Amino acid sequence: MSMTRNTARFGVGATLGALAVLLADPALAAGPALDGAAKQATNWHAIAMFVAFVSLTLGITYWAAKRTRSAAHFYTAGGGITGLQNGLAIAGDYMSAATLLGLTAMVYTTGYDGYIYMIAFFVGWPIILFLMAERLRNLGRYTFADITSYRLDQGRVRTMAAVSSLTVVCFYLVAQMVGAGQLIKLLFGLDYVYALFIVGGLMMIYVTFGGMVATTWVQIIKACMLLVGGTLVMVLAMSRFGFSYATVVNEATAVHKLGFKLFQPGALLADPVNAVSLGIGLMFGTAGLPHILMRFFTVSDAKAARKSVLYASGFVGYFFNVIFLMGLCAIVIVGTNPDFFEGGQIGGKIIGGGNMVVMHLASAVGGDLLLGFLAAVAFATILAVVSGLALAGASAIGHDLYARVIMKGKATEQAELRISKFASIGLGLVAITLGILFEKMNVAFMVGLAFGIAASANFPVLILSMYWRGLTTRGAVIGGYTGLVCAVVLVVLSKLVWVQVLGFAKPIVPYDQPALFSMPLAFLVTIVVSKLDRSRQAAAEKAAFEDQYVRAQTGFGAAGATAH
């Protein structure tokens, strides 16, 4: 295969690599600033599959729009999603393009460190399964703010929860939009701004017209595509080694520069403080992401909610192991093939960047067709994730801020639904605008910050509201805002922003991840302020815990499913 053909075949390479830097999860966040990607040869297989995916999802949106007539359908699909379907949708929300591209590249480069990183992501699911899933479904209706404000002051607590939720959503959206704009610009040969309008427009259509029903099915289809595509690449790659893990390990260690150290902890754990902070952020941040928590209200009862987490854990755990095997196989199949390196120099710069490893592996074992399929999956992943984020943001604005804070529960369902739909359009326009403004900036820190805020502002207040009788409105609000502000300040003063974005010589805070400091502080402030609150309102809030506890355990009085 000639270098000319390679360049054309991997025309999506440069921005796919950039995508994994942009959308990379916190440990991969220190990527270079993104320059405008040049238009390159198009991958018609990817275009055809992407168009087919968009056509299918638009058809689903049309179908869903006919069934989205109430707030319950818009926010939670009427509680009619089964445990298996919801598990796939949650897994789809969780498995991003960075999971496919960035984590495979991390295993290819660092070996066991990549697997440790995946485990840090995975261990958040048992927390949700055993501590949160059942109570979330029994206590909540549309958003997690329904739970945090169950026995507290609706206005103040919902405002705080909505602010932190919208902050998480916006940071996530910017990272997704910049990566998506660059990718579609490259694939279709469109200008970056037009590419952003395509992504933003599709997102607004999915959410505004189809609501949770359409968003859920977009996630399910995307999750299935990701699982099938990854499995196919892994099986074809393992067939090169006779499906023997021992053979893969022996050959990988023989050709990798790390040798047998490939299977030992490395740089990821070199700084214990950063490593622990990263682990805390990933583990507890998962349990505080609004678009993940919102999915527990889409099922019929607490039993289905638990099943959702069990299925999601299975799909995510399975896919992480597929990624690990793909990364190891790529060490031998990609790492020893000069066709995948610039200038044909093995060990040099990989065509399209380091995060293109899995795409090169797909090409090596399945040709252009499999490469095109995986490229289409990367695009589908972005559309699905931004739709889920937009719906979470719209629900925070329409349900929490408008219906409960501004209108104090007196808004009609039609008015609330209308505001939420306008909010989804507004969020789409904001995402497009921010995507344009941040086109050439390193926005990878935003994903890490989103996890840090979720772990520091959302999780402490949420878990205490479910389990601690002593929580008061004053404690929840002050503690939540403390976690939010602390997480933002620590990230701004870290190398990721202070040096790489703002251009200062040295960071003020030596650690990249805030959760180790901001989450305990949020817990401490919440508990101390609640303990010191001796007001009459605080006493009433503590007394109301008994009613909340009964409903959390039994589901008596919880919102029922309206569609099946």
Side-chain angles (χ1 to χ4, degrees):
M1 178 173 19
S2 67
M3 283 311 287
T4 303
R5 186 184 174 198
N6 247 344
T7 303
R9 170 178 286 185
F10 303 114
V12 292
T15 9
L16 276 170
L19 166 75
V21 171
L22 284 168
L23 307 186
D25 304 303
L28 308 175
L34 182 65
D35 296 321
K39 298 174 185 176
Q40 299 182 36
T42 54
N43 185 325
W44 292 107
H45 294 97
I47 292 174
M49 293 176 188
F50 179 63
V51 170
F53 170 82
V54 171
S55 301
L56 176 61
T57 52
L58 286 176
I60 290 172
T61 304
Y62 177 77
W63 165 79
K66 294 182 176 181
R67 290 157 175 77
T68 304
R69 292 287 183 264
S70 66
H73 284 88
F74 182 81
Y75 295 127
T76 64
I81 306 299
T82 68
L84 175 59
Q85 292 168 347
N86 200 43
L88 269 171
I90 292 173
D93 260 326
Y94 202 64
M95 297 185 299
S96 66
T99 306
L100 176 66
L101 300 172
L103 293 186
T104 307
M106 193 174 184
V107 173
Y108 173 86
T109 305
T110 64
Y112 192 60
D113 269 5
Y115 200 65
I116 294 175
Y117 185 66
M118 288 185 246
I119 291 174
F121 262 114
F122 188 69
V123 293
W125 292 105
I127 295 173
I128 299 176
L129 175 60
F130 294 112
L131 295 181
M132 301 175 66
E134 183 173 351
R135 297 190 181 212
L136 280 169
R137 181 59 186 86
N138 286 340
L139 291 172
R141 189 180 183 192
Y142 298 149
T143 69
F144 82 92
D146 291 335
I147 299 155
T148 56
S149 63
Y150 185 89
R151 57 190 171 92
L152 306 180
D153 182 272
Q154 293 281 322
R156 294 164 63 192
V157 175
R158 282 187 185 274
T159 301
M160 182 274 298
V163 168
S164 63
S165 293
L166 288 170
T167 305
V168 171
V169 166
C170 286
F171 283 130
Y172 240 129
L173 271 179
V174 171
Q176 297 285 340
M177 291 295 289
V178 173
Q182 294 286 4
L183 279 168
I184 293 186
K185 164 190 171 181
L186 190 81
L187 182 65
F188 290 98
L190 293 174
D191 288 335
Y192 177 81
V193 174
Y194 295 148
L196 283 183
F197 274 98
I198 289 175
V199 177
L202 287 171
M203 173 188 78
M204 287 186 276
I205 290 172
Y206 291 151
V207 176
T208 305
F209 293 101
M212 180 58 85
V213 178
T215 302
T216 297
W217 281 102
V218 169
Q219 288 288 11
I220 290 172
I221 295 170
K222 163 253 179 155
C224 291
M225 290 173 64
L226 200 57
L227 290 167
V228 169
T231 300
L232 184 57
V233 173
M234 182 270 291
V235 169
L236 292 174
M238 287 295 292
S239 68
R240 302 282 184 96
F241 305 92
F243 297 101
S244 171
Y245 178 71
T247 302
V248 176
V249 171
N250 289 334
E251 294 194 27
T253 53
V255 301
H256 199 280
K257 62 182 180 181
L258 294 177
F260 283 103
K261 289 184 179 179
L262 193 67
F263 291 90
Q264 297 176 5
L268 186 65
L269 304 182
D271 184 340
V273 175
N274 246 336
V276 172
S277 191
L278 170 65
I280 289 175
L282 295 180
M283 179 168 39
F284 296 105
T286 301
L289 292 174
H291 62 296
I292 297 290
L293 296 173
M294 194 174 179
R295 293 225 153 264
F296 293 101
F297 311 127
T298 64
V299 292
S300 57
D301 52 32
K303 181 180 179 181
R306 293 193 300 271
K307 284 185 177 180
S308 299
V309 185
L310 194 60
Y311 282 124
S313 300
F315 292 130
V316 172
Y318 167 77
F319 192 65
F320 280 168
N321 282 287
V322 167
I323 287 174
F324 183 63
L325 290 175
M326 286 196 297
L328 293 183
C329 292
I331 291 172
V332 180
I333 296 174
V334 177
T336 60
N337 189 336
D339 288 335
F340 300 120
F341 293 88
E342 292 184 2
Q345 183 179 355
I346 294 177
K349 186 177 180 181
I350 293 177
I351 294 174
N355 291 300
M356 270 293 286
V357 166
V358 70
M359 310 306 283
H360 291 314
L361 180 64
S363 176
V365 301
D368 287 347
L369 190 61
L370 188 54
L371 170 66
F373 180 73
L374 275 195
V377 168
F379 292 106
T381 296
I382 295 169
L383 285 176
V385 170
V386 297
S387 298
L389 288 168
L391 186 57
S395 65
I397 294 172
H399 179 62
D400 293 326
L401 291 180
Y402 173 75
R404 294 296 183 270
V405 177
I406 297 175
M407 299 301 295
K408 302 186 185 303
K410 297 179 181 179
T412 64
E413 187 174 276
Q414 290 74 20
E416 179 181 339
L417 197 56
R418 185 168 57 251
I419 293 296
S420 292
K421 290 184 175 183
F422 282 138
S424 65
I425 296 173
L427 282 170
L429 295 175
V430 168
I432 292 170
T433 303
L434 292 177
I436 294 172
L437 295 175
F438 282 86
E439 177 184 359
K440 297 183 179 180
M441 291 185 66
N442 174 16
V443 297
F445 72 92
M446 291 186 174
V447 177
L449 183 53
F451 269 85
I453 292 173
S456 306
N458 293 350
F459 177 74
V461 175
L462 180 60
I463 201 73
L464 287 174
S465 69
M466 289 192 289
Y467 283 94
W468 188 42
R469 180 193 305 272
L471 182 67
T472 67
T473 296
R474 191 175 299 170
V477 171
I478 295 176
Y481 281 128
T482 298
L484 172 65
V485 172
C486 183
V488 172
V489 170
L490 288 177
V491 171
V492 169
L493 299 180
S494 73
K495 181 178 69 175
L496 294 175
V497 179
W498 198 251
V499 176
Q500 295 182 11
V501 176
L502 300 180
F504 291 97
K506 293 182 180 180
I508 297 177
V509 176
Y511 307 111
D512 295 335
Q513 303 304 319
L516 178 61
F517 311 99
S518 54
M519 192 180 86
L521 180 63
F523 269 110
L524 179 63
V525 170
T526 304
I527 293 171
V528 169
V529 172
S530 294
K531 286 281 190 181
L532 295 176
D533 189 356
R534 308 293 184 184
S535 66
R536 182 177 301 176
Q537 179 186 359
E541 291 166 350
K542 294 173 184 178
F545 181 77
E546 293 298 334
D547 173 68
Q548 177 182 317
Y549 180 80
V550 171
R551 176 162 157 177
Q553 296 297 317
T554 64
F556 182 76
T562 61
H564 289 278

